[in-house]
Amino acid sequence: MNVKQRTIKEPVSVSGTGLHTGERVIMTFNPAPEKHGYKFRRIDLPGQPIIDADVDNVTDTSRGTTLTQNGASVSTVEHVLAALVGLEIDNVLIDMDGPETPIMDGSSIQFIDAIEKAGFEEQAADREYYHIPYNIHYSEADRKVDMVAMPLDDEYRFTCMVDYNSQVLGSQHATISTLAEFKKEIASSRTFCFLHELEMLVKHDLIKGGDLNNAIVVVDKEVDEEELAHLAKLFNRKDINVAPQGILNNIELRHQNEPARHKLLDMIGDLALVGVPLKGHIMAARPGHAANVAFAKKIKTLIKKERSRKHVKVYDPNMTPVYDTVQIMNILPHRPPMLLVDKILELTKTHVVGLKAVTMNEPFFVGHFPGAPVMPGVLQIEAMAQTGGILVLNTVPDPENWLTLFLKIENARFKDKVLPGDTLIFRCDLVAPIRRGIAQMKGIGMVGEKIVVEAELMAQIVRYK
């Protein structure tokens, strides 16, 4: 059964302080249309630039995950994104009047609570999952990081292990079998740091929004009363001591393995940057933001490759053509050397497939890089246009009396060289019904399985006889 996409019913805001910037920020979750995904909007900046929650926009992972696009940045996005994934929300626009999301209590639970108050709204479009097809591995030997995504058809499952060679923290693991468990088991788990890291961050003025109420501080060294008094003064607390669990007594653990659960939370938020909901089992040992982002990029690259292959049908150049060269010349007015289609392999009311065999004796090679022959991009577009012309002229009973005039060519992209010996196959598909002799088409050119050129074309047929 297909699952529908969903957004929220109405805007809802939360406010707080950024952990690292110390700046107050109001963050508003807004409903968004189908296929919108997660986007941040910096409403405090001129033009209100939008930043897509996309792994390709990650610019820093040193103290959280930072995204940058359109000249604007937003940092520490992982807890917010984890909440959205955990609630299985597909589309939302997040307005912010500052550069960093509010840290709140260091977890995702307050975002969860706010979003649930807004309510959910089912949308018409189906949710498009990416099912992990086989084991995808990522590792970093120096940090002893190991991550793997494994096939699992029905669920999005996580297992996380942390081991910091700390007598206090030791080895911990956390797991959820389904996203339905996120709110209860993971969402309230707070961020953590070691005491030596806290001292470094304070020294370099890097946790301006920290108040010891939003982080678990693991005491990984001997600490005297003087140092504890200094920390108490720094964070405006009456006193600070070391609790029996080996953490500062500023807060109590919500779970015995809260650090491992929080690492799992971070991983869910960072992997949201893949851009599509996943089905599979993610297992990770000693993950961090840099590794999560690198792993997300690996998964996204695989998705892009697989989706491009799905849209590319490999044609047999030796198949019996619908039209050969002579028949094409009965339809198109072009003649050598400007006839750039040799065969039509497929022709329906909505698409056409044409073939051009590129040989060294093409006349354009005489002057176009004769020492390193490459088919000119403009002639690739012309060949594509001629192929599309066959599709448009197929709508009239006497195509020999008509011309195809191209009104617009947009978004032309050249992805690889076309060389002598290549067989260039073009496919043009109508993107809207032909009206008043005007056709809008999406065209691609392929050499084997590889797309080498693509463009959007608009053409009109006119009678000339």
Side-chain angles (χ1 to χ4, degrees):
M1 187 178 77
N2 291 336
V3 177
K4 297 298 183 182
Q5 293 183 22
R6 67 176 185 169
T7 185
I8 56 177
K9 283 185 177 179
E10 59 186 15
V12 62
S13 297
V14 296
S15 63
T17 303
L19 175 63
H20 300 291
T21 61
E23 293 188 20
R24 292 288 297 177
V25 61
I26 297 173
M27 185 168 66
T28 302
F29 298 92
N30 297 288
E34 298 166 359
K35 300 182 181 181
H36 177 278
Y38 307 146
K39 300 178 189 291
F40 293 88
R41 180 167 60 185
R42 286 288 303 276
I43 61 173
D44 58 319
L45 297 179
Q48 300 190 347
I50 288 177
I51 305 161
D52 293 332
D54 189 295
V55 68
D56 293 334
N57 291 331
V58 175
T59 51
D60 188 19
T61 55
S62 58
R63 299 185 307 278
T65 301
T66 298
L67 304 171
T68 303
Q69 188 180 19
N70 297 320
S73 295
V74 58
S75 60
T76 323
V77 298
E78 59 274 8
H79 302 169
V80 176
L81 297 178
L84 295 171
V85 173
L87 291 172
E88 297 189 79
I89 294 171
D90 301 277
N91 307 299
V92 68
L93 176 62
I94 305 163
D95 284 338
M96 291 178 56
D97 63 357
E100 185 181 16
T101 66
I103 189 61
M104 311 305 284
D105 71 347
S107 76
S108 292
I109 193 63
Q110 289 170 291
F111 302 134
I112 293 270
D113 292 341
I115 294 167
E116 285 188 328
K117 287 179 182 177
F120 309 109
E121 182 172 301
E122 188 176 280
Q123 297 174 293
D126 290 336
R127 183 178 295 155
E128 298 179 8
Y129 293 99
Y130 178 71
H131 294 258
I132 301 296
Y134 49 78
N135 287 2
I136 305 168
H137 293 272
Y138 176 81
S139 63
E140 294 178 10
D142 56 335
R143 299 184 188 180
K144 298 182 179 179
V145 174
D146 283 298
M147 306 180 78
V148 60
M150 298 180 293
L152 184 67
D153 286 341
D154 299 329
E155 299 292 349
Y156 193 22
R157 182 177 298 170
F158 282 85
T159 302
C160 177
M161 187 274 285
V162 296
D163 182 1
Y164 293 93
N165 293 320
S166 165
Q167 292 182 347
V168 175
L169 196 57
S171 295
Q172 296 186 359
H173 81 278
T175 184
I176 56 171
S177 298
T178 170
L179 284 178
E181 299 174 3
F182 177 82
K183 177 184 174 183
K184 179 180 177 182
E185 302 295 335
I186 303 298
S188 65
S189 299
R190 293 156 296 185
T191 192
F192 68 96
C193 69
F194 292 95
L195 181 58
H196 75 271
E197 294 175 321
L198 177 67
E199 292 169 333
M200 184 276 291
L201 292 168
V202 170
K203 182 178 179 181
H204 290 87
D205 202 23
L206 294 176
I207 51 169
K208 298 175 183 176
D211 63 2
L212 288 190
N213 290 321
N214 47 35
I216 300 162
V217 180
V218 179
V219 181
D220 56 340
K221 65 174 190 172
E222 292 293 329
V223 57
D224 56 31
E225 292 298 326
E226 183 179 347
E227 187 171 1
L228 288 172
H230 172 68
L231 288 171
K233 182 179 180 182
L234 196 64
F235 289 100
N236 297 314
R237 297 184 70 89
K238 186 176 179 180
D239 57 48
I240 291 179
N241 292 299
V242 180
Q245 300 98 322
I247 63 172
L248 291 185
N249 69 342
N250 53 303
I251 53 179
E252 293 184 2
L253 290 178
R254 292 171 176 169
H255 307 277
Q256 185 178 1
N257 62 341
E258 190 167 351
R261 295 185 191 222
H262 185 80
K263 280 293 184 181
L264 195 154
L265 183 155
D266 281 345
M267 192 163 53
I268 291 175
D270 286 334
L271 289 182
L273 299 171
V274 168
V276 295
L278 302 175
K279 290 288 189 182
H281 187 181
I282 311 296
M283 299 185 69
R286 306 170 192 87
H289 293 300
N292 295 344
V293 168
F295 193 41
K297 286 184 177 181
K298 192 168 186 178
I299 296 172
K300 183 182 176 184
T301 298
L302 179 63
I303 293 172
K304 288 171 68 176
K305 284 183 179 178
E306 291 199 358
R307 287 186 172 177
S308 67
R309 286 196 198 105
K310 285 181 182 178
H311 292 94
V312 174
K313 177 181 175 181
V314 178
Y315 294 90
D316 179 6
N318 297 315
M319 65 190 291
T320 302
V322 178
Y323 298 136
D324 60 21
T325 305
V326 174
Q327 292 168 314
I328 289 172
M329 288 193 294
N330 290 331
I331 300 172
L332 293 179
H334 305 80
R335 294 296 179 268
M338 283 306 295
L339 180 63
L340 297 174
V341 184
D342 298 328
K343 299 178 185 179
I344 296 298
L345 302 180
E346 282 187 7
L347 181 61
T348 69
K349 291 183 178 181
T350 59
H351 87 276
V352 61
V353 178
L355 178 150
K356 165 65 179 172
V358 182
T359 64
M360 189 58 211
N361 61 358
E362 301 285 354
F364 49 77
F365 285 138
V366 175
H368 191 266
F369 306 163
V374 176
M375 184 177 182
V378 66
L379 293 184
Q380 295 177 43
I381 295 294
E382 173 62 25
M384 180 189 295
Q386 290 181 21
T387 301
I390 296 285
L391 175 61
V392 185
L393 289 168
N394 192 47
T395 62
V396 295
D398 54 342
E400 67 278 4
N401 297 324
W402 296 74
L403 293 176
T404 306
L405 303 179
F406 276 80
L407 306 177
K408 189 188 299 182
I409 299 172
E410 290 186 324
N411 296 323
R413 294 182 177 88
F414 303 95
K415 301 190 171 185
D416 209 342
K417 298 187 293 293
V418 178
L419 307 173
D422 286 342
T423 298
L424 189 52
I425 293 179
F426 295 98
R427 175 172 176 136
C428 294
D429 288 84
L430 289 177
V431 296
I434 297 175
R435 292 188 177 90
R436 295 187 296 277
I438 296 177
Q440 299 179 61
M441 293 175 282
K442 167 71 175 180
I444 60 170
M446 300 167 284
V447 174
E449 295 185 5
K450 184 182 296 184
I451 295 177
V452 295
V453 60
E454 61 184 13
E456 297 166 11
L457 311 171
M458 180 182 290
Q460 182 177 27
I461 55 173
V462 295
R463 180 178 285 278
Y464 80 105
K465 285 185 180 180

